[in-house]
């Protein structure tokens, strides 16, 4: 897909702010987890999702030990070098060095990102030193342009 402007991705992602956290959900204003946020933004800026995610438990990454999240992202998003990440890119977070990436967000600028996490809602947070150190993978939506 050509001509998908990064500012549109960010605007759509910001329209999810305040959506309550709901495990495995992906419905703006009703509920979303971090994957659900990415899926919902995909639907709004690209169209139908290319694949349905399998059901997943809250401890799926710890239990499986595989980079399933990153592998799925690589099937549909374009890999980006972490030094070149920009607004509109998807970041995958690894909580601990020995665990697979398990959390995701969308960059809104060089120092901020949107994400949904348990016990909260979709929020825009600073991409401070802790978050930056835990970025494991970066991807762009297909056709993302400035």
């Amino acid at each position: 897909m050509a001509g998908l402007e990064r500012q549109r991705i960010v605007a759509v992602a910001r329209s999810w702010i305040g959506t309550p956290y709901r495990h495995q959900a992906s419905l703006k204003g009703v509920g979303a987890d971090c994957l659900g946020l990415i899926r919902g933004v995909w639907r709004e800026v690209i169209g139908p999702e290319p694949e349905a995610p399998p059901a997943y438990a809250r401890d799926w990454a710890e239990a499986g030990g595989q980079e399933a999240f990153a592998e799925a992202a690589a099937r549909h998003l374009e890999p980006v070098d972490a030094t070149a990440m920009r607004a509109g890119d998807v970041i995958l977070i690894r909580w601990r060095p020995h665990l697979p990436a398990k959390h995701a967000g969308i960059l809104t600028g060089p120092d901020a990102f949107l994400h949904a996490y348990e016990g909260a809602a979709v929020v825009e947070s600073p991409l401070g030193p802790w978050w930056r150190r835990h970025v494991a993978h970066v991807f762009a939506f297909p056709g993302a342009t400035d």
Side-chain angles (χ1 to χ4, degrees), residues 28 45 47 56 58 74 94 106 112 115:
K28 187 190 319 187
V45 301
Y56 49 94
R58 283 178 166 75
R94 185 184 321 280
I106 297 175
H115 59 132

Side-chain angles (χ1 to χ4, degrees), residues 87-98:
D89 284 343
V90 173
I91 57 174
L92 300 187
I93 305 290
R94 185 184 321 280
W95 294 124
R96 292 189 174 82
H98 65 283

Side-chain angles (χ1 to χ4, degrees), residues 31-46:
D33 61 9
C34 65
L35 174 58
L37 171 64
I38 307 305
R39 292 174 51 218
V41 171
W42 175 288
R43 289 190 307 268
E44 288 189 58
V45 301
I46 294 176

